[in-house]
Amino acid sequence: MILGVGTDLANIERIEATLARFGDRFKNRVFTETEQKKAESREDVAGTYAKRWAAKEACSKALGTGLRMGISWRDMSVSNLRSGQPVMAVTGWAEKRLLEMTPEGYISTIHVSLTDDHPWAQAFVVIEAHPKAQSQDLPSA
Ligand SMILES: CC(C)(COP(=O)(O)OP(=O)(O)OC[C@H]1O[C@@H](n2cnc3c(N)ncnc32)[C@H](O)[C@@H]1OP(=O)(O)O)[C@@H](O)C(=O)NCCC(=O)NCCS
């Protein structure tokens, strides 16, 4: 079953301006080491950060919380599989919220999709819950 969906559109030029103004202070407050490493290795640094910013906003919507003051952005993070597919992980308050919204006997998976076309970066997040027994029937990857 679908527990939540979220979407966000981020302006790459606005992220670029924030990066120029606040530098490491902004990066370290919002992005994990993995996200920073990915962005800094790219030609399109701001676009890569903007996609991850959009992913965090979309995830907070799917979690039904929105981005409130005091929550840690780093508790929703994006990494990439070898294929390039993005994967969203939650820790701290976001993990707690995910567990709270997951019905008894179910486990949740967060799906994320990212795209960008200057000056926009976009993210979609879907949170899906499936019965624990069903997940045990799946062949291991
Ligand atoms: C998936 C694919 C269609 C993306 O095309 P694209 O035009 O670069 O896509 P967009 O610019 O719209 O979006 C880029 C985002 O797509 C996502 N993406 C990349 N590969 C993906 C994949 N295999 N599955 C799902 N999403 C993927 C990433 O989140 C990426 O942003 P990020 O690298 O900053 O995380 C393209 O990379 C592709 O055809 N890949 C095939 C697999 C491949 O060649 N893999 C090479 C390594 S084995």
Side-chain angles (χ1 to χ4, degrees):
M1 79 180 84
I2 303 300
L3 296 183
V5 296
T7 180
D8 190 65
L9 200 55
N11 187 294
I12 296 169
E13 287 170 8
R14 190 167 65 88
I15 295 290
E16 199 163 26
T18 307
L19 286 166
R21 183 156 178 219
F22 297 105
D24 284 348
R25 202 145 63 86
F26 172 61
K27 288 179 196 170
N28 293 332
R29 201 171 58 140
V30 174
F31 301 102
T32 61
E33 261 102 81
T34 302
E35 292 170 329
Q36 291 186 42
K37 224 169 125 188
K38 172 69 74 179
E40 301 297 332
S41 72
R42 290 272 176 82
E43 204 175 304
D44 185 10
V45 175
T48 304
Y49 277 124
K51 277 180 270 183
R52 281 145 186 79
W53 172 282
K56 290 165 198 274
E57 296 247 29
C59 186
S60 76
K61 291 176 186 172
L63 287 169
T65 55
L67 279 169
R68 293 189 303 249
M69 291 296 287
I71 65 167
S72 171
W73 292 72
R74 292 171 60 117
D75 279 337
M76 299 170 291
S77 63
V78 173
S79 58
N80 296 79
L81 301 180
R82 201 190 291 258
S83 64
Q85 182 182 338
V87 179
M88 189 111 216
V90 287
T91 54
W93 71 271
E95 184 181 20
K96 188 168 168 274
R97 171 71 192 145
L98 183 67
L99 292 175
E100 276 167 10
M101 67 195 277
T102 303
E104 185 98 29
Y106 283 72
I107 53 171
S108 288
T109 307
I110 303 178
H111 304 277
V112 60
S113 183
L114 307 178
T115 188
D116 65 302
D117 190 0
H118 198 93
W120 300 108
Q122 186 178 43
F124 284 106
V125 168
V126 174
I127 301 178
E128 179 201 8
H130 40 99
K132 274 182 182 159
Q134 185 186 316
S135 66
Q136 283 161 6
D137 293 341
L138 293 171
S140 50

